[in-house]
Amino acid sequence: SWWTPLYTIHHDQSLATFVGLQGEHNRRKLAETFLRPTTWQEYCQEVSDDDCDTPDDVAPGGAPEAGEEGLYFAGVDRYTGYFRNTTDNDCDNNPNCTGHIVDFPCGWTSFVEQQAFYNKIAVKSDGREPGCGGYTYGEMTQIWAAANATKSHVLMLWWEPEALYQQYIGTDAEFQRIALPNPTQKCSENRVNYVDRCSPDQAVRVGQPEGACADYPHALMKVIGTSLYDVSHDPQIAESLHSPAYETIKNFRITSNQLGQIFEYWFQIGDDKWNLDPRRAVCRWVVENLEELESFIPQTHPRVVEDDNEAREVPIIYIALSLAIFAMIATVTSLFVTYVQREKRIIRYAQVEFLFLLLFGLLMVSIGALLSSLPPTNPICVSIAWLINLGYTLQ
């Protein structure tokens, strides 16, 4: 969508809709309102009286350092940005004068030139991108920051939810959508594509008049790798062991307002903006919305353990139970015999204490084996783990 700051709408409410933008009678208004953004180097070379050798209100930091020449904004203490009336804005000497609009770079989807041309709105993007005259993402964010710092009027193509959009909510530079003609199916079918919009031929860039409506709403989409589906639905894995990951991600939904809230948390932190802060913002949102997120987990998860009585009727259960009882009886008998014969030379040479430790370990393992053949409960499961591990340790 096309956007302009809130203070611009307060300045001229007619700019809030395409009706107040279109036509030759609005050409001068657009040209005088939406001036061209100026890079730091351009300001020093073409506007400053001494090539920024003397710091001024626009460039308190003086001349740009290496790598800063192309910046449109470098902070209020370095370069605030500057919007100027170029020959493209001079309607007295240029009958085809235009206001300025900040368009997307080539390769991005944009219909600005098509919308402006067929709705007779005299605006043009003058970025360094060939063909479309677009700006990079970084340049666009700098231009909006420069407009806010200097309270200059700016017209820009943008989208929401997005971090920059969220950053200015509640300020006088808050993004205000420009109302363009309502979108229709016929309009969406006649949009210029992202390749043609960067063509050197204007006739190709503007496309068909039927595609000059406003942008239609887009649903937030998810991209899920097929490998996740394959792992979650592997036929070689029992269904009871299938992971709920794929279905959970498939069910996940988030609204634009919720995403905007995450951006808001991000800006509130202010510790490590481009590294850990986004992670912390997401974690905070997850904690506050955990109940809603749990609703995306399939109803069959977590798995519920059910007692299968039929499985305990098979002969192997009785065989295991019998062997466990036999092992217990044999171990107890060995303990008794060892105790009775403890004074005999052969038992004493074998060190009766170690024999008792070995037999007690065997007894604990036998009891653990017996419990393993019984219906599982929390106490039984815990006891099995302790008895078997401790029993083998004693052995």
Coordinates of all heavy atoms in Angstrom, one line a residue, residues 4-5 13 20 27 51 56-57 72 92-93 96 132 140 146 180 215-216 226 230 262 270 303 309 357 378:
T4 N 1.8 7.5 4.0 CA 2.4 8.8 4.3 C 2.3 9.1 5.8 O 1.4 8.4 6.5 CB 1.6 9.9 3.6 OG1 2.4 11.1 3.6 CG2 0.2 10.2 4.1
P5 N 3.1 9.9 6.4 CA 3.0 10.1 7.9 C 1.8 10.8 8.3 O 1.1 11.5 7.5 CB 4.3 11.0 8.2 CG 5.2 10.8 7.0 CD 4.3 10.6 5.8
Q13 N -5.6 17.0 4.5 CA -6.4 15.7 4.6 C -6.8 15.2 3.2 O -7.2 14.0 3.1 CB -7.6 16.0 5.5 CG -7.3 16.3 6.9 CD -8.6 16.4 7.8 OE1 -9.7 16.2 7.3 NE2 -8.4 16.8 9.0
G20 N -7.8 13.0 -3.9 CA -7.1 14.2 -3.6 C -5.7 14.3 -4.2 O -5.0 15.3 -4.1
R27 N -1.3 18.3 -9.6 CA 0.1 18.0 -9.9 C 1.1 19.0 -9.1 O 2.0 18.5 -8.5 CB 0.4 18.2 -11.4 CG 1.8 18.0 -11.9 CD 2.0 18.3 -13.4 NE 1.3 17.2 -14.2 CZ 1.9 16.1 -14.5 NH1 3.1 15.8 -14.1 NH2 1.2 15.2 -15.3
D51 N 30.7 22.4 1.0 CA 30.9 20.9 1.0 C 30.9 20.3 2.3 O 31.7 19.3 2.6 CB 32.2 20.6 0.2 CG 32.2 21.0 -1.2 OD1 31.1 21.0 -1.8 OD2 33.3 21.2 -1.8
D56 N 26.4 22.0 10.0 CA 25.2 22.8 10.1 C 24.1 22.0 10.7 O 24.3 20.8 11.1 CB 24.8 23.4 8.7 CG 24.6 22.3 7.7 OD1 24.4 21.1 8.0 OD2 24.8 22.5 6.5
D57 N 22.9 22.5 10.7 CA 21.7 21.8 11.3 C 21.4 20.5 10.6 O 20.9 19.5 11.2 CB 20.5 22.7 11.3 CG 20.7 23.9 12.2 OD1 21.5 23.8 13.1 OD2 19.9 24.9 12.1
Y72 N 20.8 8.3 3.5 CA 19.7 9.3 3.5 C 19.5 9.8 4.9 O 18.8 10.8 5.1 CB 18.4 8.8 2.9 CG 18.5 8.5 1.4 CD1 18.9 7.3 0.9 CD2 18.2 9.6 0.5 CE1 19.0 7.1 -0.5 CE2 18.3 9.4 -0.9 CZ 18.7 8.1 -1.3 OH 18.7 7.9 -2.7
D92 N 7.1 25.4 -12.4 CA 7.2 26.6 -13.1 C 8.0 26.5 -14.4 O 7.7 27.1 -15.4 CB 7.8 27.7 -12.3 CG 6.9 28.2 -11.1 OD1 5.6 28.0 -11.3 OD2 7.4 28.6 -10.1
N93 N 9.0 25.6 -14.3 CA 9.9 25.4 -15.5 C 9.7 24.0 -16.1 O 10.4 23.7 -17.1 CB 11.3 25.6 -15.1 CG 11.6 27.0 -14.6 OD1 11.3 28.0 -15.3 ND2 12.1 27.2 -13.4
N96 N 5.9 18.8 -16.7 CA 5.7 17.4 -16.3 C 6.2 17.2 -14.9 O 6.7 16.1 -14.6 CB 6.3 16.5 -17.3 CG 5.7 16.6 -18.7 OD1 4.5 16.6 -18.8 ND2 6.5 16.6 -19.7
C132 N 12.8 0.9 -12.6 CA 11.7 1.3 -11.7 C 12.0 2.5 -10.8 O 11.2 3.1 -10.2 CB 11.3 0.1 -10.8 SG 12.5 -0.4 -9.6
M140 N 15.0 2.9 2.2 CA 13.6 3.2 2.5 C 13.4 3.5 4.0 O 12.7 4.5 4.3 CB 12.7 2.1 2.0 CG 12.7 1.9 0.5 SD 11.6 0.5 0.0 CE 10.0 1.3 0.1
A146 N 14.4 10.0 8.1 CA 14.8 11.4 7.7 C 13.6 12.3 7.7 O 13.6 13.5 8.1 CB 15.6 11.5 6.4
L180 N -6.6 3.9 -2.3 CA -6.6 3.8 -3.8 C -7.8 3.1 -4.3 O -8.6 2.6 -3.4 CB -5.3 3.1 -4.3 CG -4.0 3.8 -4.0 CD1 -2.8 2.9 -4.4 CD2 -3.9 5.1 -4.7
D215 N -3.7 -2.4 -3.5 CA -3.2 -3.8 -3.2 C -4.3 -4.5 -2.5 O -5.0 -4.0 -1.6 CB -2.0 -3.7 -2.4 CG -0.8 -3.1 -3.2 OD1 -0.8 -3.3 -4.4 OD2 0.0 -2.4 -2.5
Y216 N -4.5 -5.8 -2.8 CA -5.5 -6.6 -2.1 C -4.9 -7.3 -0.9 O -3.6 -7.5 -0.9 CB -6.1 -7.6 -3.0 CG -5.2 -8.4 -3.9 CD1 -4.5 -9.5 -3.4 CD2 -4.8 -7.9 -5.2 CE1 -3.6 -10.2 -4.2 CE2 -3.9 -8.6 -6.0 CZ -3.3 -9.7 -5.5 OH -2.4 -10.4 -6.3
T226 N 9.1 -30.6 3.1 CA 8.5 -31.9 2.9 C 9.2 -32.9 3.8 O 8.6 -34.0 4.1 CB 8.6 -32.3 1.4 OG1 10.0 -32.3 1.0 CG2 7.8 -31.4 0.5
D230 N 7.6 -36.1 5.9 CA 8.1 -37.5 5.7 C 8.5 -38.1 7.0 O 8.2 -39.3 7.3 CB 9.2 -37.5 4.7 CG 8.8 -37.1 3.3 OD1 7.6 -37.2 3.0 OD2 9.7 -36.7 2.6
I262 N 4.5 -8.6 18.8 CA 5.9 -9.1 18.9 C 6.9 -8.0 18.5 O 7.9 -7.8 19.2 CB 6.1 -10.4 18.1 CG1 5.2 -11.5 18.6 CG2 7.6 -10.8 18.1 CD1 5.2 -12.8 17.7
G270 N 15.4 -3.1 23.6 CA 16.4 -2.1 23.4 C 17.8 -2.5 23.9 O 18.6 -1.6 24.1
R303 N 0.4 -38.3 24.0 CA -0.2 -39.6 23.9 C -0.7 -40.0 25.3 O -0.1 -39.8 26.3 CB 0.8 -40.6 23.4 CG 1.3 -40.4 22.0 CD 0.2 -40.5 21.0 NE 0.7 -40.4 19.6 CZ 0.0 -40.4 18.5 NH1 -1.3 -40.3 18.7 NH2 0.5 -40.3 17.4
N309 N -5.6 -54.8 28.4 CA -5.7 -56.0 29.1 C -5.4 -57.2 28.2 O -4.9 -58.2 28.7 CB -7.1 -56.1 29.8 CG -7.3 -55.1 30.8 OD1 -6.4 -54.8 31.6 ND2 -8.5 -54.5 30.9
L357 N 26.3 -59.6 49.2 CA 26.1 -58.5 48.3 C 25.6 -58.9 46.9 O 24.7 -58.4 46.3 CB 27.3 -57.6 48.2 CG 27.7 -56.7 49.4 CD1 29.0 -56.0 49.1 CD2 26.6 -55.7 49.6
N378 N 2.7 -45.7 38.3 CA 3.9 -44.8 38.6 C 4.8 -45.4 39.6 O 6.0 -45.5 39.4 CB 3.4 -43.5 39.0 CG 2.9 -42.6 37.8 OD1 3.2 -42.9 36.7 ND2 2.0 -41.6 38.1

